[in-house]
Amino acid sequence: MLLRHRLSIIASAGALLIVCGLLWASRQGETISAQRLSSVATNGQNALWQQLVRSEVERLDQMADALQNPSFLRAIDDGGTGRISSVINAEFGATRDRLAVLELSRGDGRVLHSTGRALDSERALDLTTLAEVAAGASRAGLWQSAPDRFLIAKTFPLRDAKGDTVVVTLGLDAADVLGRFAESLKTDAFLINPRGRMVVGTGPELWHRLLPRLPLRSASVATQEIDGRIYSLVGVPVSDLSGGLAGLLVTLDDATQALAPAERIRTLSMAGSFLFALALVAGLHVYLIRAFRPLDRTTKVLNALARGDTTARIAPTGDDEIGRIAETVSHFRDNAIALDRLRLQQTRQRRRQERLIRGRMKELAGTLDSNGRDEILTILDTQTPHGGEDADFVLLPHVLQQLSNRITQQHLRLNELIADLRDSLVTKTKLAGIQQELEIARQVQLAMVPATFPAIDAIDIDGGMIAAKEVGGDFFDCFALTENTYVLMIGDVSGKGVPASLFMAITRTLLRATALYEPDPARCVESVNNLLARENEQMLFVTLFYGVLDVSTGELVYVNAGHNPPLLVSASGAARYLDGTGDMALAVMEDQGYRAERLTLMPGDLLVTFTDGITEAFNPENEAFGEERLKDLCLREREAPSVQVLMQRAYGALTDFVRDAEQSDDITWLALRRRP
């Protein structure tokens, strides 16, 4: 960003802050003045309302005094509604019609007598207030007796001739008081209930057009504009005869003539302030453009000199800082022109020396053999100077180095060829012997896994192993312990190649030998683990699934020592991987306890044990075959005619998935199905 732009932005921000500060200060002053006026308005409005309410309460006090006579008490004692009405008519006479409510009630809420244009026989007060008044607490004030009515009410206790307490409630319609209140202020007035709904008012149509929102629990003053008119609203909370919040007393006055000029003045002042700030910023921006124009020309000359163009010139601009910068740039241009001339002379001299050196090098290359001569001549014809001051001197050692390397490489290639021929004969002899030994080891390993399985009437069983290299570390086995029990085991030795295959052979031999005298799977695995861990200098380990199957009952007692969980597919079509026993792999630590689990194979159930060479087989997209694909495949093929056919199809599906990807681990499985 250019300097003049930054200065313009800074000046604009400063002017904007100043204008905003002035407007804020003005607004704060207006707010303080409005708060003072609001306080005066709300206090005056509240005082006038309280005065009108007190005058109505005084009328109710006079009516209450008229009821303190023996005839009225005897009428209450007799309980006759007609007699009560006749006494009331006699006492109040013409003023009775001004009463909106005259109610006699017991403290328990039972109404003895009720008159009124809207309430009739319904109770005017709630039970809580009735109980408090019956206890001797007289109340007077505003009261919402119905959803659409406010009363100026007085309620007090009265004892009848029998000494029982009667609660007398006298009420005048608050709409009359509200009308006098609005007439005194020359405005519209409204009473709002605590839920914000207008109950009574002198101008309900205007209220429903505005629908103002005022705080219900605090005094407030607000303005609202509609149809081009500005209305002033003053809200004062009023209490009921229980001391709680009865609602909000709101006055609504058309203040367009009073507020519109002030609003126009405020708008004009804000517009004038912003126009002044805009003019100030624009003038500053124009000044900065004119002031920085010589600096722009100086910058263009500097850019041209940086590109090597010395034809650009700059005219004198004055004696200020920008003029001195232009003068300095002019001196720099003169020095750059002199330097270019000197470099041109040096370049011409170097080119003459380079042609001489190239001619001598071609004569020297003619003494080499054909291959070397062609290589050196090609270098001399295609080599260009590096562009530096010493480019011609760099060429000479480079070509001499090529000549020396040519002779040295020929000598080394000859020596290497002789050595390679000698070593290849020795290596070929050793390789043939190693391959023969590995083939023998592979045959021995394959002989250690069962090629055929015991003929078990109740069990269909199959197993197989495909080594990733000549020899591997996987193994599986199945042999009989007793007439009805068979040992099933499958394992995977860490590592690959000959060490893993030897460790596999030792593990399988120890398991077979130990199983003959230790039929309990957990103790058998524990004994073999102690033997392997005791002499394990290579730090190899074996994951193992070892189980003893009772073919008569289908019960399988097994230990899973860190091996892949076997897959169980039930005859009903459900499939799950068996929970592990939480045991550690063999040969890791001595005296490691192992825990056996039990599983009963039902007729038609399929159990597939396998090594991670199946689930961790990867295709060319580096995607693993995974346990879910194996489970879905076994579910789909669970009704194959035999376990052997099922596993052949599974291996075929695995081969199709892997395609031409290299096999990275041994693939081993041992599967069995209990015949129906």
Side-chain angles (χ1 to χ4, degrees):
M1 184 183 292
L2 297 178
L3 177 60
R4 65 171 179 266
H5 293 163
R6 292 199 296 269
L7 292 175
S8 297
I9 292 174
I10 293 173
S12 302
L16 182 62
L17 288 176
I18 292 173
V19 170
C20 291
L22 293 175
L23 291 177
W24 178 83
S26 175
R27 189 65 179 177
Q28 288 296 109
E30 292 177 0
T31 302
I32 294 173
S33 299
Q35 289 176 350
R36 292 175 180 174
L37 292 176
S38 299
S39 177
V40 172
T42 54
N43 291 337
Q45 181 171 302
N46 187 40
L48 177 60
W49 174 257
Q50 295 297 334
Q51 180 181 356
L52 293 175
V53 171
R54 281 196 299 272
S55 65
E56 293 298 305
V57 170
E58 289 174 357
R59 290 191 181 94
L60 293 175
D61 289 340
Q62 295 174 1
M63 295 179 184
D65 293 339
L67 295 178
Q68 305 284 343
N69 62 78
S71 61
F72 184 70
L73 296 179
R74 285 194 299 273
I76 294 174
D77 187 40
D78 293 341
T81 303
R83 287 200 58 191
I84 294 175
S85 299
S86 62
V87 172
I88 291 173
N89 291 331
E91 293 294 335
F92 292 106
T95 61
R96 178 180 179 279
D97 293 337
R98 295 188 64 244
L99 282 175
V101 172
L102 192 156
E103 181 180 284
L104 306 177
S105 304
R106 296 295 185 184
D108 57 1
R110 183 163 50 91
V111 177
L112 301 178
H113 177 77
S114 176
T115 62
R117 290 184 296 271
L119 294 178
D120 296 332
S121 61
E122 293 185 3
R123 189 172 56 249
L125 303 179
D126 57 81
L127 291 176
T128 303
T129 306
L130 281 174
E132 293 176 354
V133 174
S138 298
R139 301 289 176 83
L142 187 65
W143 182 258
Q144 186 177 3
S145 60
D148 58 348
R149 170 176 285 188
F150 271 105
L151 297 176
I152 305 298
K154 177 180 177 61
T155 178
F156 58 93
L158 186 66
R159 293 189 178 276
D160 59 12
K162 295 180 179 181
D164 296 330
T165 301
V166 177
V167 177
V168 180
T169 303
L170 302 176
L172 300 174
D173 196 341
D176 298 336
V177 181
L178 188 66
R180 294 198 301 275
F181 176 80
E183 184 179 356
S184 300
L185 295 178
K186 303 294 191 240
T187 183
D188 287 317
F190 307 89
L191 281 175
I192 313 302
N193 65 13
R195 296 185 179 181
R197 191 178 71 86
M198 191 271 290
V199 177
V200 62
T202 59
E205 297 83 4
L206 179 60
W207 178 270
H208 291 303
R209 284 175 55 204
L210 290 175
L211 292 177
R213 293 287 183 266
L214 295 173
L216 298 174
R217 297 185 178 275
S218 61
S220 61
V221 177
T223 59
Q224 189 167 341
E225 183 176 356
I226 185 171
D227 298 335
R229 309 297 296 176
I230 302 175
Y231 292 91
S232 173
L233 296 98
V234 180
V236 178
V238 291
S239 59
D240 59 10
L241 56 82
S242 298
L245 179 66
L248 192 69
L249 175 65
V250 179
T251 58
L252 197 156
D253 186 24
D254 187 349
T256 305
Q257 294 182 352
L259 297 180
E263 190 67 26
R264 284 195 297 271
I265 293 172
R266 184 185 300 108
T267 303
L268 291 175
S269 63
M270 291 181 62
S273 299
F274 279 109
L275 288 176
F276 171 75
L278 183 61
L280 178 63
V281 171
L284 180 62
H285 185 69
V286 172
Y287 170 76
L288 289 176
I289 290 176
R290 294 175 59 85
F292 278 85
R293 189 171 295 164
L295 185 60
D296 290 340
R297 292 197 294 267
T298 303
T299 304
K300 292 179 181 178
V301 173
L302 284 174
N303 291 331
L305 293 176
R307 296 192 301 268
D309 182 10
T310 57
T311 61
R313 294 178 176 274
I314 183 170
T317 59
D319 296 333
D320 57 359
E321 291 81 358
I322 297 178
R324 289 195 290 271
I325 292 174
E327 184 179 358
T328 303
V329 172
S330 180
H331 291 312
F332 177 76
R333 172 183 170 276
D334 296 338
N335 294 334
I337 293 174
L339 182 61
D340 286 342
R341 291 174 180 172
L342 180 61
R343 286 179 177 175
L344 180 61
Q345 294 176 359
Q346 292 177 349
T347 301
R348 291 173 180 174
Q349 183 179 0
R350 284 198 302 271
R351 288 177 179 174
R352 289 195 297 268
Q353 294 174 352
E354 180 184 4
R355 286 194 295 269
L356 179 62
I357 292 171
R358 284 175 181 270
R360 295 294 183 265
M361 289 294 175
K362 289 181 179 179
E363 294 176 2
L364 182 60
T367 62
L368 299 175
D369 56 60
S370 59
N371 293 334
R373 181 175 61 253
D374 294 339
E375 181 179 355
I376 297 302
L377 291 177
T378 301
I379 295 174
L380 289 173
D381 292 337
T382 58
Q383 185 78 23
T384 58
H386 293 183
E389 296 181 355
D390 300 325
D392 48 350
F393 298 104
V394 172
L395 181 63
L396 176 60
H398 179 67
V399 176
L400 290 176
Q401 182 68 32
Q402 292 293 328
L403 290 171
S404 176
N405 290 342
R406 181 72 180 179
I407 298 172
T408 302
Q409 289 173 2
Q410 290 179 354
H411 180 69
L412 291 175
R413 283 199 297 269
L414 181 59
N415 290 338
E416 290 174 356
L417 180 60
I418 295 173
D420 289 343
L421 289 174
R422 186 185 302 113
D423 293 340
S424 63
L425 294 175
V426 177
T427 303
K428 184 176 181 181
T429 302
K430 292 181 179 179
L431 181 60
I434 293 173
Q435 288 178 342
Q436 184 178 5
E437 292 175 358
L438 288 176
E439 179 62 25
I440 294 172
R442 191 177 75 85
Q443 296 297 331
V444 171
Q445 182 180 9
L446 292 176
M448 297 185 69
V449 297
T452 60
F453 294 92
I456 308 173
D457 293 337
I459 300 297
D460 183 13
I461 190 168
D462 178 69
M465 181 177 69
I466 301 171
K469 300 185 180 299
E470 288 80 359
V471 291
D474 286 5
F475 67 92
F476 70 93
D477 203 353
C478 176
F479 58 90
L481 275 182
T482 64
E483 181 179 357
N484 290 324
T485 58
Y486 290 83
V487 173
L488 309 171
M489 59 181 172
I490 184 170
D492 185 1
V493 179
S494 62
K496 302 289 186 296
V498 176
S501 66
L502 293 176
F503 203 75
M504 176 275 290
I506 294 172
T507 304
R508 175 186 174 276
T509 303
L510 289 175
L511 285 169
R512 265 185 167 263
T514 307
L516 296 177
Y517 67 84
E518 185 55 80
D520 181 77
R523 290 198 295 270
C524 176
V525 173
E526 182 177 356
S527 299
V528 174
N529 174 67
N530 291 335
L531 293 173
L532 292 174
R534 195 172 300 135
E535 301 293 338
N536 187 12
E537 297 181 357
Q538 299 297 325
M539 301 301 293
L540 298 174
F541 63 87
V542 186
T543 64
L544 173 69
F545 180 83
Y546 180 91
V548 176
L549 175 65
D550 188 338
V551 298
S552 62
T553 63
E555 183 181 40
L556 175 66
V557 183
Y558 65 91
V559 174
N560 191 332
H563 196 72
N564 299 80
L567 174 63
L568 175 63
V569 181
S570 65
S572 62
R576 65 181 179 89
Y577 286 94
L578 298 183
D579 297 334
T581 59
D583 294 321
M584 188 183 296
L586 277 64
V588 177
M589 185 185 299
E590 291 187 63
D591 299 327
Q592 181 68 31
Y594 290 87
R595 180 169 56 89
E597 295 286 346
R598 295 179 181 273
L599 170 69
T600 300
L601 296 177
M602 305 303 295
D605 286 356
L606 170 68
L607 183 68
V608 180
T609 63
F610 56 91
T611 62
D612 56 8
I614 294 178
T615 55
E616 296 180 6
F618 290 88
N619 60 11
E621 290 78 20
N622 201 27
E623 182 181 7
F625 188 74
E627 294 181 351
E628 288 301 320
R629 284 191 177 89
L630 178 61
K631 181 171 71 173
D632 295 341
L633 178 62
C634 292
L635 272 173
R636 190 169 57 251
E637 300 292 343
R638 70 180 186 276
E639 296 181 358
S642 66
V643 175
Q644 183 178 10
V645 173
L646 187 149
M647 295 311 296
Q648 287 176 353
R649 294 176 181 175
Y651 181 69
L654 178 64
T655 305
D656 294 339
F657 175 80
V658 173
R659 301 197 296 277
D660 56 350
E662 183 182 358
Q663 181 180 342
S664 60
D665 201 356
D666 302 336
I667 296 175
T668 308
W669 70 88
L670 178 63
L672 59 94
R673 180 168 61 190
R674 187 178 179 189
R675 293 191 177 94

